[in-house]
Amino acid sequence: MAYYFDEPSRTFNEYLLVPGYSSKDCRPENVDLSAPLVKCRSGKKSPIRVNIPMVSAIMQAVSDDRMAIALAQEGGLSFIFASQGIESQATMIRRVKDHKAGFVKSDSNVRPDHTLADIIKLKKEMGHSTVAVTEDGTPGGRIVGIVTSRDYRQSRMPADLKVSEFMTPLADLIYGEDGISLSEANDILWDRKLNALPIIDKQGRLTHFVFRKDYDSHKQNPFELLDRQKRYLVGAGVNTRDYSERIPALVDAGADVLCIDSSEGFTEWQKDTLSWVRARYGNKVKIGAGNVVDRDGFLFLAEAGADFVKVGIGGGSICITREQKGIGRGQASAVRDVAAARNEYFGQTGEYVPICSDGGIVYDYHMTVALAMGADFLMLGRYFARFDESPTARLNVGGNYVKEYWGEGSNRARNWQRYDMGGESGLSFEEGVDSYVPYAGPLKDNVEQSLGKIRSTMCNCGVLNIRELQSKTKLTLVSATSIVEGGAHDVMLKEPGQVNR
């Protein structure tokens, strides 16, 4: 006879946090939201920690290098999507790592014989107003000048005008020599009132740019997630098919942590992948695994060597695995069960394996509920897909701005490796949908607001860090009626723009 769990499969929406005693120290500015990302021994600090408990999902529509930089600036981490070529993924990793300490590799480059039309096209594609002009048009070529928005007027210059005729030539450039410190470069920017400073080596080749805006950005982002070389931390997804080729390329590119991207992690395929990593790299390469939804799945992956375990099957907004296959579990029930297994494993082995809640977040307060139930950090897809920094197009649909968002199990993504069960390659049916999400603007503004809600809620619970939240907070199940009661009810809501009289 099949095994039956004692209680229904619960979601985060079925729980509320109960306030606790709040001292005068319980203020949002005192709340610490840092969390361990990878496993550690009892009494030791995790080798990789995030400054905010947010990571972006391993999805084409969510996590590329632009998202990774923006999220790292806020203290979180992105996992660059794996459903692409190995070199393409490695290139995205290198772009993030090359953003180190304000020294930026140029990704907007032209030759002197290119035209104004090429400049306009490049600016539209890349979003950068500073373009390097090198002899061969490569990022590391011999520099002959730069073009900024001050060098041309699109309305008064012909589109076929050669770049060499309106660029600022090398002879007129103020630049720094390769080996200059960031502090020295910033001093030149400020003293000479520049917006960009090219860094050039002894052979006259462009190595980096230093931008004034990056200096300002660093001061505005005190929680930046950086490695020892002051480069942004970045993760990458891998699969259980081509890991022996993909992982070395990603490690060489500088990926700080990897994660097996799969809809179901309780498999021999994941054990083989983890075993290969440990045999080749020992514990130097950090790799998470998943997804699982119960104690048995967690213990399997923890014992196989996973550095963290991802929790959740079918809870994503674009995931239809439960609908298609009848497989999964409510996210709240899954997180509670796996968190209990993690604590049990820690008590027995002295090894703490963090868990990541992946899916099931609809409202911001669900983030706090998930953390209170035991999640160390959260993986979010729909949440980040709405922002400027996601890789998808912003469209106007029915008078409203939206961003495209599709699941890795959709025909659009064709990420059959994520749903691989060892058979022939290809999707036999879809487990994800192709959709839109409401456009929400810049990542920074939205993340700050969400974190502000989490900090405020934690203060209401009388706690100042995630560990206290998990050990001291009380939660209560809510009825359908109390869910209705929790929103606006028994009133007539004003229409937007309606004025009181």
Side-chain angles (χ1 to χ4, degrees):
M1 184 174 177
Y3 175 82
Y4 290 86
F5 287 90
D6 291 334
E7 68 168 30
S9 183
R10 303 286 189 184
T11 69
F12 295 137
N13 208 47
E14 296 177 78
Y15 290 89
L16 287 175
L17 296 151
V18 176
Y21 169 74
S22 300
S23 70
K24 292 180 179 178
D25 290 331
C26 285
R27 301 193 304 273
E29 62 268 24
N30 293 336
V31 173
D32 175 13
L33 290 178
S34 64
L37 191 77
V38 298
K39 66 184 178 185
C40 56
R41 300 294 301 178
S42 178
K44 301 290 185 179
K45 189 175 182 180
S46 173
I48 304 178
R49 293 179 63 87
V50 285
N51 293 327
I52 62 172
M54 291 180 170
V55 301
S56 65
I58 311 169
M59 300 177 70
Q60 295 174 9
V62 178
S63 297
D64 65 354
D65 49 294
R66 188 178 177 211
M67 174 63 71
I69 291 170
L71 185 51
Q73 287 174 341
E74 300 306 313
L77 182 135
S78 287
F79 286 90
I80 303 294
F81 69 92
S83 51
Q84 61 178 313
I86 294 173
E87 183 52 37
S88 173
Q89 189 182 19
T91 297
M92 289 187 180
I93 297 294
R94 284 191 287 269
R95 285 178 188 158
V96 179
K97 302 310 287 188
D98 285 344
H99 216 82
K100 68 164 188 171
F103 289 94
V104 182
K105 285 281 189 181
S106 177
D107 58 2
S108 296
N109 310 279
V110 295
R111 297 189 309 271
D113 61 341
H114 277 122
T115 64
L116 176 60
D118 294 318
I119 294 289
I120 300 302
K121 180 182 177 182
L122 191 60
K123 182 177 180 181
K124 184 176 181 180
E125 290 176 352
M126 305 302 297
H128 303 320
S129 58
T130 299
V131 177
V133 186
T134 58
E135 287 181 343
D136 58 3
T138 65
R142 289 177 58 86
I143 188 167
V144 295
I146 64 171
V147 174
T148 71
S149 56
R150 293 180 297 181
D151 291 315
Y152 62 88
R153 293 186 69 178
Q154 187 177 353
S155 61
R156 296 194 177 186
M157 295 165 62
D160 61 355
L161 186 66
K162 300 293 185 184
V163 167
S164 58
E165 298 185 42
F166 63 88
M167 70 181 185
T168 300
L170 177 61
D172 296 335
L173 285 179
I174 298 171
Y175 60 88
E177 295 182 356
D178 192 28
I180 189 173
S181 70
L182 181 60
S183 177
E184 292 169 334
N186 281 322
D187 285 343
I188 295 174
L189 283 172
W190 286 95
D191 292 344
R192 299 299 188 95
K193 299 180 180 179
L194 304 174
N195 289 322
L197 181 72
I199 307 299
I200 303 173
D201 67 14
K202 292 181 179 179
Q203 286 73 44
R205 295 178 303 217
L206 178 68
T207 64
H208 295 88
F209 273 109
V210 177
F211 295 100
R212 178 192 289 260
K213 65 180 179 59
D214 288 338
Y215 173 87
D216 296 334
S217 173
H218 179 70
K219 295 300 182 183
Q220 294 169 6
N221 297 301
F223 297 110
E224 281 183 317
L225 193 62
L226 304 172
D227 64 16
R228 292 180 179 177
Q229 286 76 46
K230 305 298 183 184
R231 303 174 301 178
Y232 290 125
L233 264 63
V234 61
V238 299
N239 61 62
T240 58
R241 282 274 181 167
D242 64 7
Y243 59 85
S244 60
E245 294 84 31
R246 187 175 294 269
I247 289 177
L250 300 180
V251 170
D252 289 344
D256 297 285
V257 59
L258 308 174
C259 183
I260 301 173
D261 180 31
S262 175
S263 64
E264 207 275 289
F266 199 173
T267 71
E268 188 174 3
W269 306 105
Q270 294 222 1
K271 183 179 180 180
D272 288 348
T273 305
L274 293 169
S275 297
W276 184 89
V277 170
R278 295 298 169 235
R280 175 156 181 164
Y281 297 104
N283 290 320
K284 291 182 180 179
V285 168
K286 307 302 181 184
I287 180 168
N291 288 15
V292 299
V293 292
D294 67 358
R295 175 182 182 276
D296 293 343
F298 170 84
L299 294 176
F300 173 79
L301 291 177
E303 291 166 359
D307 284 293
F308 65 86
V309 173
K310 203 142 65 76
V311 182
I313 295 177
S317 61
I318 41 69
C319 182
I320 54 174
T321 296
R322 298 180 194 172
E323 181 181 305
Q324 292 280 56
K325 296 165 65 175
I327 294 290
R329 195 177 187 189
Q331 192 66 6
S333 296
V335 169
R336 288 180 61 188
D337 198 356
V338 174
R342 175 204 57 203
N343 295 342
E344 174 190 337
Y345 185 78
F346 178 58
Q348 293 175 351
T349 67
E351 189 171 68
Y352 187 86
V353 181
I355 63 173
C356 167
S357 177
D358 177 18
I361 302 294
V362 180
Y363 304 110
D364 282 353
Y365 85 86
H366 290 169
M367 299 182 193
T368 318
V369 172
L371 295 171
M373 288 183 168
D376 293 282
F377 58 98
L378 316 170
M379 180 169 280
L380 305 163
R382 180 195 61 84
Y383 178 85
F384 287 116
R386 304 172 301 144
F387 303 150
D388 286 325
E389 294 81 2
S390 72
T392 65
R394 187 184 71 169
L395 306 173
N396 191 307
V397 177
N400 297 307
Y401 281 111
V402 297
K403 295 274 282 186
E404 294 182 291
Y405 182 46
W406 59 91
E408 289 298 296
S410 67
N411 270 317
R412 180 170 183 173
R414 300 299 302 171
N415 186 9
W416 59 267
Q417 296 97 329
R418 189 176 199 273
Y419 300 86
D420 180 32
M421 295 300 290
E424 294 297 321
S425 63
L427 289 173
S428 56
F429 54 87
E430 289 186 283
E431 293 187 47
V433 300
D434 196 344
S435 64
Y436 300 120
V437 288
Y439 167 67
L443 177 145
K444 183 179 180 64
D445 295 345
N446 287 274
V447 167
E448 285 182 350
Q449 183 179 65
S450 296
L451 294 177
K453 293 178 184 178
I454 294 173
R455 292 187 176 101
S456 180
T457 302
M458 288 173 64
C459 288
N460 289 141
C461 294
V463 300
L464 292 174
N465 57 60
I466 294 173
R467 190 64 68 228
E468 288 183 353
L469 179 70
Q470 294 169 348
S471 61
K472 296 181 180 180
T473 298
K474 296 177 288 185
L475 293 106
T476 181
L477 271 170
V478 295
S479 67
T481 305
S482 64
I483 291 175
V484 173
E485 182 185 64
H489 60 91
D490 300 320
V491 294
M492 296 176 62
L493 295 179
K494 296 178 181 178
E495 294 295 327
Q498 186 174 342
V499 179
N500 289 326
R501 295 194 182 279

